[in-house]
Amino acid sequence: MTPPTPSGSDPKKTAKKKVAEKAVTKKASAKKAEPAARKPPAKKAGAGKTAVGAAADTARAVKAVAEKAGAEAADAVKAVAKGAGGEKAVTKKPVAKKTGAGKAVAKKALVKEAAVDKPVVKKAAAKKAAVKKAPAEKAPAKKVTARRTAATKAAGEHAAVEPLAPAPVPPPETPVSPAMDVGDRDRLLSGTHHDPHGVLGAHPVPGGVAFRVFRPYALGVTVVAGDVRAELQDDGDGFFSGLLPLREIPAYRLLVTYEESVQDTEDAYAFLPALGDLDLHLIGEGRHEQLWTALGAQPMTHQGSAGTRFTVWAPNARGVRVAGTFNFWDPSAFAMRSLGSTGVWELFVPGVGEGELYKFEITRPDGSKTLRADPLARRTEVPPATSSIIHASHHEWQDGEWLANRAAGAPAHEAPFSVYEIHLPSWRPGLTYRQLAEQLPAYVKDLGFTHVELMPVAEHPFGGSWGYQVTGFYAPTARLGTPDDFKYLVDALHQAGIGVLMDWVPAHFPRDDWALAEFDGRTLYEHEDPLRAAHPDWGTLEFDYGRREVRNFLVANAVYWCEEFHIDGLRVDAVASMLYLDYSREPGQWIPNVHGGRENLDAVDFLQEMNATVYRRVPGVVTIAEESTAWDGVTRATHHMGPGGFGGLGFGLKWNMGWMHDSLDYMAHEPVHRKYHHHEMTFSMVYAYSENYVLPISHDEVVHGKRSLVSKMPGDWWQQRANLRAYLAFMWAHPGKQLLFMGQEFAQGAEWSEAHGPDWWLLDPAYGAEADHRGVRDLVRDLNVVYGHTPALWQRDTDPSGFQWIVGDASEDNVFAFLRYDAEGIPLLSVSNLAPVVRPGYRLGAPDDVPAWLESLNTDAARYGGGDVTNPEIVKPDPQSWHGRPASIQVTLPPLATVWLRPA
């Protein structure tokens, strides 16, 4: 910038005052508003000029400068907003010559004070007569000369002192039109602008600060900055603009006038990005482990203003805008900006808070538009409505003791772990999360289960999917309440001493056109290869585990449920469908991996990363794989290589689907035929220690024509219940953890339906067969109680030395007997007689170091609905060897029953 010319009196021009004043005025109007350079006073007083004369000249020059600059400043204030906004071409004439036009514009703009020089306007207001004649002449004089008061006074009183030359106020730069560029207008109108903040809002321009606002349907927009009120020019199509003669951007608000209201708001385009560089870096790397804090709708205070930050990942979008209840679902005025190469779009909207509904309007690469729910929404509308809801949690957790004990406790495979599986919407239909919190913890605690497993609670559009087709991965279903209501339920369970597991579904997602499918107009969350994108069984789409942002979305989601909702474990659904490229596909419908194999290497990497991250971040949690194949190392540590060349997947537990199918197949046979299927009950011990197993009798086994658990059993009603009781006790004694689906604990005869849930009426005392159902439930309670107090049944589930067969080949008798040992070597003997006959004095081999045995549980007890064939007395071993052991005992085996004996 060219330095301003020094001003002041020239000794050679003392006699020509008029010429001097004119010269100074012209020079001042031609330069920019910068402080003037000062020449040394000694040189100014030269050429025989007296000090007094020099001071007089100085005063006259100062007055001339002030008069001229003041006139220009006043004209500039008058020209705010509409005068400048209405100009299509920049005028070449000096601003001072536009006094008349400036006055007219000033009246319309309602300028109360000029932000550049507030004292100027105040002076003008104080002297009405002067304002009427020439407000530009007297108004700025005091302002300009005020800084030189001391010097001028000194010059008048002391002739020997030369005053400093006063600095004139340079005129403003030649103003430009603040109206929006045609190209930017078109992009904003079409929803394809990647940087709306670069053109909307307030921006310094030659001549002041340009204000641009895009508010379709508005009748007018006024900028309010302190005492300044400037009505912007209506440029058509919802665009408003104006130029204010300000030196810097002020704090301002917008008054947006509509037909029946006036909206007083801050300008969303006055804010810097509310997402930090570190967040963007981690998102770009696919390593943001708390992704929910960076993406989605986050209520917050930003630059001193309360509002909501909207962020979404949509790298293929040509433009993204926010629509919601706060803008009457018209996204036009809420365009988001693209933040670099990360594909993230962001907009902070002041004044918008919790409870507002919203979606993202995305302009696809082909120019078409789609309205999408937020992939990271923390709250949603109740289905079938699909909007996302701005949410901030206010729940105050009360489970600190539970979390501390969980972190310090033994891992799940070495601890009691008995699970009650629940479908929350149908456990007690009609109950909310908070109402469930009043009933569910007490019920589960009474039955003695250590954990509940919740079928998927993440938001899903179709209730008939039971939650396994998720659209809102970060939102608990709104069917039962808010996210804080769900936290209340988890908190209540923890305070009752019950762990909470949750089914998690990273294998696939539905094709709903308002959710994740082709989210930004192209394949994004799903794989780009059609052969790998479509799930063959469920008509859904599979995630692209090879894309780092997608993997990050899922890994962070697993962490989210554990950290934000204090979930104690994740049961990962359909792992087998993720691991194999040819899962449910015929030859030619899949492409081998780079090694020519059928393993999905991307899915393997994802599962390893997910497990490692969750276990590192959340002490004491457990991950459980629903995996139905012989994949090696599902529960092996990720850094331990297996024979197949893969590291372990890193899960804590795995569902033993083989045991479930084999044992249920055996039990479905009539006892007379069971001897031909004896191996189905013993084969599980061949591989029992290859993984850390859960023995699941889940919802999948009691729906869709498979019949309820008791209905799978052969025989009449008494035999069915007896078989069920014997089977449950066999299951609780078998190595591995236990899982039982709701309704099966009281022998519900009908299949489960999400429409009505368990048949609780079977436990009504008014029902004639209530005792039969209550007896089974009492058995389940006692199984859990004895189980919890008997470390032999859970402490060495994954250690082969914790199990010994007594007799595993008594197929003619349908008898199975084995020992379980705890870490101290204390045994428990389990004997199952799955024939419908009593076997008195049945001899079994026994350890010779146990002097006596006592029956601790018998499924044929009368209180369970059995025939009450028991062993009430202490059983002592004989020195007679049997079953390859040096000692033996004789016990009475009730029909279709399991008996547990412990050292007396």
Side-chain angles (χ1 to χ4, degrees):
M1 181 180 291
T2 305
T5 303
S7 62
S9 60
D10 189 334
K12 295 181 180 180
K13 297 183 179 179
T14 303
K16 299 179 181 180
K17 299 175 184 178
K18 300 293 183 180
V19 176
E21 291 172 358
K22 186 175 181 181
V24 173
T25 304
K26 285 185 177 180
K27 209 152 196 176
S29 62
K31 298 297 179 178
K32 294 182 180 179
E34 293 190 2
R38 300 173 181 173
K39 292 186 178 180
K43 294 183 179 179
K44 288 262 184 185
K49 200 74 173 175
T50 65
V52 175
D57 287 347
T58 297
R60 285 189 292 272
V62 168
K63 182 178 180 182
V65 171
E67 290 174 349
K68 186 64 176 179
E72 292 169 348
D75 285 341
V77 171
K78 292 177 180 179
V80 293
K82 279 198 171 182
E87 295 288 339
K88 293 185 177 180
V90 179
T91 177
K92 296 182 180 180
K93 296 181 180 181
V95 176
K97 294 183 179 180
K98 288 199 159 190
T99 305
K103 287 181 180 178
V105 173
K107 289 180 182 179
K108 192 168 184 180
L110 301 177
V111 178
K112 292 183 177 179
E113 288 189 20
V116 180
D117 255 336
K118 290 185 179 180
V120 174
V121 181
K122 290 180 180 179
K123 182 78 174 180
K127 298 183 179 182
K128 295 181 180 180
V131 171
K132 289 180 180 179
K133 290 182 179 180
E137 293 181 3
K138 290 194 175 183
K142 187 173 181 180
K143 173 80 174 180
V144 175
T145 59
R147 288 172 287 184
R148 303 293 190 268
T149 301
T152 305
K153 186 175 182 180
E157 293 177 357
H158 306 284
V161 179
E162 180 70 13
L164 294 175
V169 177
E173 295 176 319
T174 303
V176 299
S177 171
M180 184 77 67
D181 175 80
V182 174
D184 289 319
R185 282 174 63 110
D186 291 342
R187 286 191 290 274
L188 286 168
L189 287 169
S190 62
T192 59
H193 208 298
H194 73 285
D195 184 24
H197 293 71
V199 293
L200 293 174
H203 299 274
V205 297
V209 175
F211 290 84
R212 304 187 189 97
V213 177
F214 179 38
R215 287 298 174 100
Y217 312 113
L219 301 180
V221 177
T222 299
V223 172
V224 179
D227 292 329
V228 175
R229 294 169 61 92
E231 184 179 352
L232 303 185
Q233 173 72 33
D234 186 346
D235 298 329
D237 293 329
F239 291 94
F240 298 84
S241 65
L243 180 66
L244 269 63
L246 307 176
R247 293 183 178 179
E248 58 184 21
I249 298 174
Y252 69 96
R253 299 181 66 83
L254 300 177
L255 296 180
V256 185
T257 303
Y258 295 96
E259 284 189 5
E260 298 181 355
S261 65
V262 176
Q263 184 184 40
D264 183 352
T265 180
E266 293 178 271
D267 189 354
Y269 298 95
F271 293 88
L272 296 172
L275 193 63
D277 290 339
L278 178 59
D279 288 312
L280 291 172
H281 172 75
L282 292 174
I283 292 171
E285 291 289 319
R287 298 289 180 181
H288 204 307
E289 294 176 358
Q290 290 185 308
L291 187 65
W292 66 94
T293 65
L295 296 182
Q298 186 73 42
M300 63 191 307
T301 298
H302 180 49
Q303 294 178 213
S305 298
T308 296
R309 181 197 67 199
F310 295 94
T311 44
V312 64
W313 178 60
N316 297 310
R318 293 178 59 190
V320 183
R321 302 188 290 194
V322 182
T325 50
F326 50 87
N327 60 12
F328 305 100
W329 292 102
D330 177 19
S332 304
F334 290 79
M336 303 174 72
R337 61 179 148 206
S338 175
L339 298 179
S341 60
T342 60
V344 174
W345 299 75
E346 182 266 355
L347 178 67
F348 176 78
V349 182
V352 173
E354 296 178 54
E356 298 278 7
L357 277 60
Y358 72 99
K359 282 188 177 182
F360 295 114
E361 184 203 70
I362 296 174
T363 302
R364 301 183 179 104
D366 63 1
S368 63
K369 290 178 170 52
T370 178
L371 199 59
R372 298 289 175 138
D374 183 0
L376 278 95
R378 264 80 83 192
R379 183 182 172 192
T380 70
E381 284 189 287
V382 178
T386 60
S387 295
S388 304
I389 302 177
I390 300 172
H391 172 74
S393 178
H394 301 285
H395 178 74
E396 296 182 3
W397 289 96
Q398 306 294 324
D399 63 348
E401 182 179 354
W402 168 269
L403 296 182
N405 292 336
R406 185 187 73 181
H413 64 277
E414 297 177 357
F417 198 85
S418 176
V419 184
Y420 184 58
E421 188 187 22
I422 304 168
H423 179 251
L424 280 179
S426 68
W427 185 73
R428 292 289 175 95
L431 297 188
T432 65
Y433 290 126
R434 290 184 180 268
Q435 291 168 336
L436 284 164
E438 302 303 319
Q439 299 186 31
L440 182 60
Y443 182 81
V444 176
K445 186 175 183 178
D446 175 67
L447 288 181
F449 287 98
T450 65
H451 291 74
V452 294
E453 179 177 316
L454 309 179
M455 290 169 67
V457 297
E459 194 59 271
H460 49 283
F462 176 51
S465 75
W466 311 330
Y468 289 98
Q469 294 192 11
V470 178
T471 49
F473 281 81
Y474 284 79
T477 179
R479 292 170 174 86
L480 307 181
T482 69
D484 276 3
D485 293 339
F486 179 60
K487 288 182 178 181
Y488 183 86
L489 171 60
V490 175
D491 208 345
L493 286 162
H494 282 172
Q495 292 177 59
I498 301 164
V500 182
L501 313 175
M502 187 187 92
D503 280 13
W504 185 55
V505 193
H508 61 123
F509 59 92
R511 296 174 179 266
D512 298 78
D513 59 7
W514 49 267
L516 296 183
E518 293 189 351
F519 182 75
D520 60 2
R522 293 179 181 168
T523 54
L524 189 65
Y525 289 92
E526 65 271 44
H527 203 284
E528 63 181 357
D529 183 351
L531 294 179
R532 294 182 61 177
H535 199 291
D537 289 344
W538 303 308
T540 53
L541 296 170
E542 296 183 5
F543 283 101
D544 182 0
Y545 306 108
R547 185 160 191 166
R548 60 180 181 270
E549 296 93 344
V550 175
R551 193 166 60 246
N552 190 178
F553 173 82
L554 293 171
V555 171
N557 187 243
V559 174
Y560 170 75
W561 289 105
C562 295
E563 289 190 351
E564 291 292 315
F565 291 90
H566 293 194
I567 296 297
D568 301 291
L570 299 173
R571 177 266 195 186
V572 183
D573 182 64
V575 171
S577 73
M578 302 164 64
L579 291 175
Y580 296 99
L581 295 170
D582 63 345
Y583 184 86
S584 289
R585 292 177 172 90
E586 299 297 328
Q589 295 180 341
W590 63 281
I591 300 174
N593 62 33
V594 293
H595 305 297
R598 55 196 285 256
E599 301 85 3
N600 187 338
L601 303 181
D602 293 335
V604 171
D605 289 344
F606 156 67
L607 291 171
Q608 290 175 329
E609 181 182 348
M610 182 276 297
N611 281 312
T613 304
V614 168
Y615 278 108
R616 171 171 50 82
R617 292 188 63 98
V618 194
V621 299
V622 62
T623 57
I624 307 166
E626 186 215 12
E627 206 283 314
S628 56
T629 74
W631 182 281
D632 175 62
V634 172
T635 58
R636 189 172 61 239
T638 57
H639 60 282
H640 289 169
M641 300 300 292
F646 293 101
L649 295 182
F651 285 95
L653 297 168
K654 172 183 173 177
W655 272 21
N656 194 334
M657 310 292 282
W659 172 88
M660 180 269 296
H661 287 299
D662 288 345
S663 62
L664 287 180
D665 183 64
Y666 174 90
M667 294 301 299
H669 291 290
E670 292 286 346
V672 69
H673 300 301
R674 284 175 176 170
K675 63 181 179 180
Y676 303 111
H677 301 274
H678 195 80
H679 65 283
E680 293 178 349
M681 291 291 271
T682 60
F683 180 69
S684 60
M685 291 311 302
V686 173
Y687 60 87
Y689 302 103
S690 61
E691 302 282 2
N692 305 334
Y693 282 115
V694 174
L695 311 179
I697 303 299
S698 73
H699 63 279
D700 277 329
E701 311 317 315
V702 295
V703 291
H704 298 327
K706 294 181 181 179
R707 298 176 295 174
S708 70
L709 189 56
V710 70
S711 297
K712 295 177 188 290
M713 306 300 166
D716 59 22
W717 175 232
W718 189 96
Q719 289 179 327
Q720 284 183 313
R721 289 183 291 116
N723 273 299
L724 173 60
R725 294 192 303 266
Y727 178 71
L728 290 174
F730 174 84
M731 170 184 172
W732 252 251
H734 191 285
K737 310 307 179 183
Q738 295 77 39
L739 180 142
L740 188 66
F741 183 60
M742 64 182 194
Q744 312 315 303
E745 77 273 17
F746 57 84
Q748 173 176 313
E751 283 188 343
W752 168 68
S753 168
E754 78 279 359
H756 58 74
D759 292 334
W760 295 108
W761 56 270
L762 296 172
L763 296 171
D764 186 341
Y767 175 58
E770 178 265 345
D772 296 343
H773 299 279
R774 177 169 41 82
V776 175
R777 188 175 67 173
D778 289 344
L779 170 66
V780 171
R781 179 190 298 109
D782 289 351
L783 285 172
N784 280 324
V785 170
V786 177
Y787 171 81
H789 290 89
T790 309
L793 291 173
W794 47 262
Q795 200 169 53
R796 301 170 77 179
D797 273 331
T798 60
D799 184 349
S801 64
F803 177 92
Q804 289 181 11
W805 278 112
I806 294 296
V807 55
D809 59 356
S811 58
E812 293 294 331
D813 297 335
N814 294 351
V815 171
F816 305 87
F818 53 83
L819 291 165
R820 297 293 309 277
Y821 289 93
D822 66 13
E824 303 298 325
I826 300 174
L828 179 134
L829 174 59
S830 174
V831 187
S832 297
N833 173 27
L834 299 179
V837 296
V838 178
R839 300 189 184 279
Y842 196 85
R843 185 172 293 277
L844 295 165
D848 57 359
D849 57 350
V850 178
W853 297 86
L854 184 64
E855 191 175 88
S856 62
L857 185 139
N858 186 324
T859 64
D860 194 52
R863 65 181 180 276
Y864 305 141
D868 209 28
V869 178
T870 64
N871 296 274
E873 305 296 330
I874 290 177
V875 179
K876 294 185 177 181
D878 299 326
Q880 181 178 355
S881 62
W882 203 259
H883 292 142
R885 294 181 178 273
S888 61
I889 59 174
Q890 284 186 301
V891 294
T892 298
L893 300 183
L896 300 175
T898 294
V899 176
W900 290 355
L901 298 106
R902 61 176 176 80

